[in-house]
Amino acid sequence: MTSEAKAEINLTDEILSVGVCDVFRAGVESMTVAMYWTVLYMSAFPEIQEKVRTEVDDKISDNYDNAHKLPYLQAVMHEVYRFSSLTPFAKRTVGDSLTLADGTFIPKGTSVLLNLWALSRDPNVWNEPYKFNPDNFLKPDGSFDGSKVEKMMPFGYGMRRCPGEGSFKVLMPMLTAALMSNFVIEPPSGVTPDLEPLFGISLSPKPYKVVLKPRH
Ligand code: HEM
């Protein structure tokens, strides 16, 4: 951008570098935690892991660019976003004072947290919401059920919705497909994977170990 164009929108070098840092931090943290969850779930649910591997072996060779088009892997990835609820809240500031249906008054300027976690556990939408089940995102014919995606909001909503969602939804299946086709993931002998999260700004798994067995 020219310096005139920057001045027009008050874009200083400082704002730009803080913005770039924000994107990196938000991206690296969430991607890392999402990968931790994926590996942990795969170690905990070997049948699901094997179904992903069979689909990857059957449908793609060593180029994972189109992994996000594999229906079962898509369903598994969305179930990872739903079940881990790794970003449990989104923050909003109330623009105009409002009164809720139950009479609660919320003044202008109040900070509110949207409970994204609860949406991913709504028993009216999800069959057995406290169980990891990729079938939540599959139609009876085995194709990916996109209609279920908008029933949850792991990436937030509206103007402030996560700007990383699109690239993330392509990258995660690529990484997972590559992992599945090269390794079998198992818990260490005698260990039952602990799926309870550590509470924080993001929900991450407790530190854990897995065994990666090379397939080739
Ligand atoms: C599992 C992956 C991710 C999840 C679950 C996630 C989730 C979220 C959520 C819930 C929000 C708040 C949205 C709202 O307030 O409505 C958010 C914001 C944001 N995310 Fe992500 N995100 C992920 C990956 C990424 C990646 C890969 C990037 C960057 C490349 C990124 C960058 C950001 C940024 C910059 C914001 C702030 C947007 C704003 O406040 O206007 N995120 N994300």
Side-chain angles (χ1 to χ4, degrees), residues 40-103:
L40 184 65
Y41 293 147
M42 291 302 99
S43 76
F45 306 111
E47 341 63 59
I48 295 175
Q49 179 183 164
E50 200 45 49
K51 274 178 92 168
V52 173
R53 183 170 297 110
T54 304
E55 186 183 51
V56 171
D57 283 353
D58 285 355
K59 305 257 174 65
I60 49 184
S61 47
D62 57 354
N63 180 344
Y64 305 109
D65 289 0
N66 286 326
H68 62 285
K69 295 186 181 151
L70 300 180
Y72 192 70
L73 179 57
Q74 271 283 66
V76 169
M77 295 284 81
H78 282 80
E79 185 65 355
V80 170
Y81 312 146
R82 184 194 74 80
F83 196 67
S84 68
S85 292
L86 64 102
T87 312
F89 301 111
K91 180 181 166 277
R92 291 291 183 276
T93 304
V94 174
D96 285 317
S97 301
L98 60 109
T99 304
L100 302 182
D102 69 355

Side-chain angles (χ1 to χ4, degrees), residues 36-214:
Y36 285 156
W37 279 121
T38 305
V39 169
L40 184 65
Y41 293 147
M42 291 302 99
S43 76
F45 306 111
E47 341 63 59
I48 295 175
Q49 179 183 164
E50 200 45 49
K51 274 178 92 168
V52 173
R53 183 170 297 110
T54 304
E55 186 183 51
V56 171
D57 283 353
D58 285 355
K59 305 257 174 65
I60 49 184
S61 47
D62 57 354
N63 180 344
Y64 305 109
D65 289 0
N66 286 326
H68 62 285
K69 295 186 181 151
L70 300 180
Y72 192 70
L73 179 57
Q74 271 283 66
V76 169
M77 295 284 81
H78 282 80
E79 185 65 355
V80 170
Y81 312 146
R82 184 194 74 80
F83 196 67
S84 68
S85 292
L86 64 102
T87 312
F89 301 111
K91 180 181 166 277
R92 291 291 183 276
T93 304
V94 174
D96 285 317
S97 301
L98 60 109
T99 304
L100 302 182
D102 69 355
T104 308
F105 177 70
I106 306 186
K108 177 179 176 170
T110 307
S111 291
V112 292
L113 292 177
L114 312 181
N115 190 345
L116 307 179
W117 179 92
L119 286 176
S120 293
R121 299 287 184 290
D122 184 348
N124 297 315
V125 175
W126 310 104
N127 189 22
E128 298 186 280
Y130 292 90
K131 203 174 145 205
F132 184 89
N133 183 5
D135 291 355
N136 275 318
F137 294 93
L138 288 174
K139 292 183 187 159
D141 67 359
S143 60
F144 180 63
D145 187 354
S147 73
K148 298 299 281 296
V149 175
E150 293 302 322
K151 306 274 183 202
M152 58 176 185
M153 296 180 192
F155 298 90
Y157 191 71
M159 294 283 283
R160 301 298 295 267
R161 190 176 178 133
C162 175
E165 178 178 357
S167 52
F168 180 81
K169 282 186 167 176
V170 174
L171 284 172
M172 273 299 288
M174 276 171 82
L175 284 173
T176 307
L179 201 57
M180 292 294 103
S181 91
N182 287 291
F183 298 96
V184 173
I185 304 174
E186 291 173 1
S189 156
V191 171
T192 304
D194 180 354
L195 306 185
E196 281 301 309
L198 286 171
F199 189 75
I201 291 176
S202 56
L203 296 181
S204 54
K206 299 176 190 125
Y208 66 84
K209 290 187 175 160
V210 284
V211 180
L212 292 185
K213 289 192 174 161

